[in-house]
Amino acid sequence: MQSKFEQLYDMYYDCVYRYIFVSVKNKWNAEDIIATVFTKIFENKDKITEVEESKNWIFRIAHNTIIDFYRKNSKVIPIENFLDIGDEDFGYEDIVIRDEFNGVSKIIDVLPEDTKKMLYLRFYGGLKFREIAEVVNITENTVKSTISRAIKKIKKNYEHSLRGDISG
């Protein structure tokens, strides 16, 4: 029989890691942060009542740990900026998909930080609007409207970038 902590770990590790990874955009930092998150959860394992109802609590810890990471490392430059990763190992389709993803990522990167966090929690963390509202401490309607507006803006800007009109 697994402990509640082990159940939490098995159930939420992957989605929390994805959320952290897209937030920090660096594998090594994401691994450090996820370790910190689950260490904090382990240290507070007596607060786990129901595994299925702990999702918001876990994402709140992850959200706050990411904020702490950026506060401590505000002058850190991601290692990817120094690496010259060539296209030799990729096929044409992989390159096209990566380029499209990079185009969308650039559009997302210019969105306000709060909006990006909500998008990451929704699409990488798999949280519902209500759960996002609890994590970021705003109303559910605000989350819905912010995500809806962000998606429309991303689509519009991406379509403009495909036509070469980057002013969007």
Side-chain angles (χ1 to χ4, degrees), residues 21-38:
F21 181 80
V22 299
S23 297
V24 299
K25 297 176 178 64
N26 176 295
K27 177 184 176 187
W28 296 279
N29 291 338
E31 289 174 358
D32 288 345
I33 294 169
I34 192 92
T36 302
V37 167
F38 279 98

